[in-house]
mmCIF file with all atom_site columns, all heavy atoms in Angstrom:
data_model
loop_
_atom_site.group_PDB
_atom_site.id
_atom_site.type_symbol
_atom_site.label_atom_id
_atom_site.label_alt_id
_atom_site.label_comp_id
_atom_site.label_asym_id
_atom_site.label_entity_id
_atom_site.label_seq_id
_atom_site.pdbx_PDB_ins_code
_atom_site.Cartn_x
_atom_site.Cartn_y
_atom_site.Cartn_z
_atom_site.occupancy
_atom_site.B_iso_or_equiv
_atom_site.pdbx_formal_charge
_atom_site.auth_seq_id
_atom_site.auth_comp_id
_atom_site.auth_asym_id
_atom_site.auth_atom_id
_atom_site.pdbx_PDB_model_num
ATOM 1  N N   . SER A 1 92  ? 126.436 101.579 119.791 1.00 90.00 ? 92  SER A N   1
ATOM 2  C CA  . SER A 1 92  ? 127.819 101.532 119.339 1.00 90.00 ? 92  SER A CA  1
ATOM 3  C C   . SER A 1 92  ? 128.729 101.106 120.478 1.00 90.00 ? 92  SER A C   1
ATOM 4  O O   . SER A 1 92  ? 128.377 101.256 121.653 1.00 90.00 ? 92  SER A O   1
ATOM 5  C CB  . SER A 1 92  ? 128.255 102.893 118.808 1.00 90.00 ? 92  SER A CB  1
ATOM 6  O OG  . SER A 1 92  ? 128.101 103.890 119.790 1.00 90.00 ? 92  SER A OG  1
ATOM 7  N N   . SER A 1 93  ? 129.864 100.583 120.149 1.00 80.00 ? 93  SER A N   1
ATOM 8  C CA  . SER A 1 93  ? 130.904 100.059 121.038 1.00 80.00 ? 93  SER A CA  1
ATOM 9  C C   . SER A 1 93  ? 130.482 98.710  121.607 1.00 80.00 ? 93  SER A C   1
ATOM 10 O O   . SER A 1 93  ? 129.288 98.387  121.706 1.00 80.00 ? 93  SER A O   1
ATOM 11 C CB  . SER A 1 93  ? 131.252 101.030 122.169 1.00 80.00 ? 93  SER A CB  1
ATOM 12 O OG  . SER A 1 93  ? 130.429 100.856 123.294 1.00 80.00 ? 93  SER A OG  1
ATOM 13 N N   . GLU A 1 94  ? 131.462 97.933  121.993 1.00 85.00 ? 94  GLU A N   1
ATOM 14 C CA  . GLU A 1 94  ? 131.216 96.567  122.446 1.00 85.00 ? 94  GLU A CA  1
ATOM 15 C C   . GLU A 1 94  ? 130.521 96.504  123.802 1.00 85.00 ? 94  GLU A C   1
ATOM 16 O O   . GLU A 1 94  ? 130.037 95.455  124.216 1.00 85.00 ? 94  GLU A O   1
ATOM 17 C CB  . GLU A 1 94  ? 132.547 95.804  122.507 1.00 85.00 ? 94  GLU A CB  1
ATOM 18 C CG  . GLU A 1 94  ? 133.168 95.552  121.143 1.00 85.00 ? 94  GLU A CG  1
ATOM 19 C CD  . GLU A 1 94  ? 132.246 94.783  120.218 1.00 85.00 ? 94  GLU A CD  1
ATOM 20 O OE1 . GLU A 1 94  ? 131.633 93.806  120.680 1.00 85.00 ? 94  GLU A OE1 1
ATOM 21 O OE2 . GLU A 1 94  ? 132.142 95.158  119.041 1.00 85.00 ? 94  GLU A OE2 1
ATOM 22 N N   . THR A 1 95  ? 130.465 97.615  124.518 1.00 92.00 ? 95  THR A N   1
ATOM 23 C CA  . THR A 1 95  ? 129.866 97.601  125.858 1.00 92.00 ? 95  THR A CA  1
ATOM 24 C C   . THR A 1 95  ? 128.379 97.923  125.840 1.00 92.00 ? 95  THR A C   1
ATOM 25 O O   . THR A 1 95  ? 127.729 97.894  126.888 1.00 92.00 ? 95  THR A O   1
ATOM 26 C CB  . THR A 1 95  ? 130.583 98.603  126.770 1.00 92.00 ? 95  THR A CB  1
ATOM 27 O OG1 . THR A 1 95  ? 130.459 99.923  126.218 1.00 92.00 ? 95  THR A OG1 1
ATOM 28 C CG2 . THR A 1 95  ? 132.061 98.257  126.896 1.00 92.00 ? 95  THR A CG2 1
ATOM 29 N N   . ASN A 1 96  ? 127.836 98.223  124.672 1.00 97.00 ? 96  ASN A N   1
ATOM 30 C CA  . ASN A 1 96  ? 126.425 98.593  124.566 1.00 97.00 ? 96  ASN A CA  1
ATOM 31 C C   . ASN A 1 96  ? 125.670 97.594  123.700 1.00 97.00 ? 96  ASN A C   1
ATOM 32 O O   . ASN A 1 96  ? 126.231 97.006  122.772 1.00 97.00 ? 96  ASN A O   1
ATOM 33 C CB  . ASN A 1 96  ? 126.274 99.994  123.968 1.00 97.00 ? 96  ASN A CB  1
ATOM 34 C CG  . ASN A 1 96  ? 127.021 101.040 124.762 1.00 97.00 ? 96  ASN A CG  1
ATOM 35 O OD1 . ASN A 1 96  ? 126.993 101.031 125.986 1.00 97.00 ? 96  ASN A OD1 1
ATOM 36 N ND2 . ASN A 1 96  ? 127.709 101.945 124.074 1.00 97.00 ? 96  ASN A ND2 1
ATOM 37 N N   . SER A 1 97  ? 124.387 97.418  123.994 1.00 98.00 ? 97  SER A N   1
ATOM 38 C CA  . SER A 1 97  ? 123.571 96.530  123.179 1.00 98.00 ? 97  SER A CA  1
ATOM 39 C C   . SER A 1 97  ? 122.122 96.975  123.232 1.00 98.00 ? 97  SER A C   1
ATOM 40 O O   . SER A 1 97  ? 121.704 97.697  124.140 1.00 98.00 ? 97  SER A O   1
ATOM 41 C CB  . SER A 1 97  ? 123.693 95.078  123.664 1.00 98.00 ? 97  SER A CB  1
ATOM 42 O OG  . SER A 1 97  ? 123.067 94.918  124.925 1.00 98.00 ? 97  SER A OG  1
ATOM 43 N N   . LEU A 1 98  ? 121.349 96.526  122.236 1.00 98.00 ? 98  LEU A N   1
ATOM 44 C CA  . LEU A 1 98  ? 119.913 96.799  122.189 1.00 98.00 ? 98  LEU A CA  1
ATOM 45 C C   . LEU A 1 98  ? 119.192 95.519  121.807 1.00 98.00 ? 98  LEU A C   1
ATOM 46 O O   . LEU A 1 98  ? 119.517 94.882  120.800 1.00 98.00 ? 98  LEU A O   1
ATOM 47 C CB  . LEU A 1 98  ? 119.603 97.885  121.160 1.00 98.00 ? 98  LEU A CB  1
ATOM 48 C CG  . LEU A 1 98  ? 118.109 98.118  120.863 1.00 98.00 ? 98  LEU A CG  1
ATOM 49 C CD1 . LEU A 1 98  ? 117.392 98.674  122.087 1.00 98.00 ? 98  LEU A CD1 1
ATOM 50 C CD2 . LEU A 1 98  ? 117.931 99.053  119.674 1.00 98.00 ? 98  LEU A CD2 1
ATOM 51 N N   . THR A 1 99  ? 118.200 95.133  122.621 1.00 98.00 ? 99  THR A N   1
ATOM 52 C CA  . THR A 1 99  ? 117.339 93.996  122.299 1.00 98.00 ? 99  THR A CA  1
ATOM 53 C C   . THR A 1 99  ? 115.896 94.480  122.269 1.00 98.00 ? 99  THR A C   1
ATOM 54 O O   . THR A 1 99  ? 115.431 95.106  123.216 1.00 98.00 ? 99  THR A O   1
ATOM 55 C CB  . THR A 1 99  ? 117.482 92.866  123.335 1.00 98.00 ? 99  THR A CB  1
ATOM 56 O OG1 . THR A 1 99  ? 118.866 92.506  123.454 1.00 98.00 ? 99  THR A OG1 1
ATOM 57 C CG2 . THR A 1 99  ? 116.693 91.651  122.899 1.00 98.00 ? 99  THR A CG2 1
ATOM 58 N N   . ILE A 1 100 ? 115.202 94.212  121.165 1.00 98.00 ? 100 ILE A N   1
ATOM 59 C CA  . ILE A 1 100 ? 113.844 94.688  120.939 1.00 98.00 ? 100 ILE A CA  1
ATOM 60 C C   . ILE A 1 100 ? 112.879 93.507  121.010 1.00 98.00 ? 100 ILE A C   1
ATOM 61 O O   . ILE A 1 100 ? 113.108 92.464  120.386 1.00 98.00 ? 100 ILE A O   1
ATOM 62 C CB  . ILE A 1 100 ? 113.731 95.387  119.573 1.00 98.00 ? 100 ILE A CB  1
ATOM 63 C CG1 . ILE A 1 100 ? 114.674 96.605  119.522 1.00 98.00 ? 100 ILE A CG1 1
ATOM 64 C CG2 . ILE A 1 100 ? 112.291 95.819  119.297 1.00 98.00 ? 100 ILE A CG2 1
ATOM 65 C CD1 . ILE A 1 100 ? 114.816 97.193  118.137 1.00 98.00 ? 100 ILE A CD1 1
ATOM 66 N N   . TYR A 1 101 ? 111.779 93.698  121.749 1.00 98.00 ? 101 TYR A N   1
ATOM 67 C CA  . TYR A 1 101 ? 110.785 92.646  121.929 1.00 98.00 ? 101 TYR A CA  1
ATOM 68 C C   . TYR A 1 101 ? 109.386 93.164  121.585 1.00 98.00 ? 101 TYR A C   1
ATOM 69 O O   . TYR A 1 101 ? 109.078 94.341  121.795 1.00 98.00 ? 101 TYR A O   1
ATOM 70 C CB  . TYR A 1 101 ? 110.726 92.189  123.386 1.00 98.00 ? 101 TYR A CB  1
ATOM 71 C CG  . TYR A 1 101 ? 112.031 91.800  124.013 1.00 98.00 ? 101 TYR A CG  1
ATOM 72 C CD1 . TYR A 1 101 ? 112.841 92.764  124.602 1.00 98.00 ? 101 TYR A CD1 1
ATOM 73 C CD2 . TYR A 1 101 ? 112.442 90.471  124.057 1.00 98.00 ? 101 TYR A CD2 1
ATOM 74 C CE1 . TYR A 1 101 ? 114.043 92.416  125.211 1.00 98.00 ? 101 TYR A CE1 1
ATOM 75 C CE2 . TYR A 1 101 ? 113.629 90.110  124.670 1.00 98.00 ? 101 TYR A CE2 1
ATOM 76 C CZ  . TYR A 1 101 ? 114.434 91.085  125.246 1.00 98.00 ? 101 TYR A CZ  1
ATOM 77 O OH  . TYR A 1 101 ? 115.616 90.742  125.853 1.00 98.00 ? 101 TYR A OH  1
ATOM 78 N N   . ALA A 1 102 ? 108.532 92.268  121.128 1.00 97.00 ? 102 ALA A N   1
ATOM 79 C CA  . ALA A 1 102 ? 107.098 92.537  121.076 1.00 97.00 ? 102 ALA A CA  1
ATOM 80 C C   . ALA A 1 102 ? 106.480 92.098  122.397 1.00 97.00 ? 102 ALA A C   1
ATOM 81 O O   . ALA A 1 102 ? 107.011 91.222  123.085 1.00 97.00 ? 102 ALA A O   1
ATOM 82 C CB  . ALA A 1 102 ? 106.454 91.782  119.923 1.00 97.00 ? 102 ALA A CB  1
ATOM 83 N N   . GLN A 1 103 ? 105.341 92.695  122.750 1.00 95.00 ? 103 GLN A N   1
ATOM 84 C CA  . GLN A 1 103 ? 104.631 92.285  123.962 1.00 95.00 ? 103 GLN A CA  1
ATOM 85 C C   . GLN A 1 103 ? 103.905 90.969  123.737 1.00 95.00 ? 103 GLN A C   1
ATOM 86 O O   . GLN A 1 103 ? 103.772 90.152  124.649 1.00 95.00 ? 103 GLN A O   1
ATOM 87 C CB  . GLN A 1 103 ? 103.641 93.366  124.381 1.00 95.00 ? 103 GLN A CB  1
ATOM 88 C CG  . GLN A 1 103 ? 102.875 93.033  125.655 1.00 95.00 ? 103 GLN A CG  1
ATOM 89 C CD  . GLN A 1 103 ? 101.832 94.081  125.996 1.00 95.00 ? 103 GLN A CD  1
ATOM 90 O OE1 . GLN A 1 103 ? 101.365 94.798  125.124 1.00 95.00 ? 103 GLN A OE1 1
ATOM 91 N NE2 . GLN A 1 103 ? 101.476 94.176  127.263 1.00 95.00 ? 103 GLN A NE2 1
#
Side-chain angles (χ1 to χ4, degrees):
S92 58
S93 88
E94 292 302 316
T95 60
N96 303 318
S97 69
L98 171 66
T99 306
I100 299 169
Y101 308 86
Q103 181 184 24

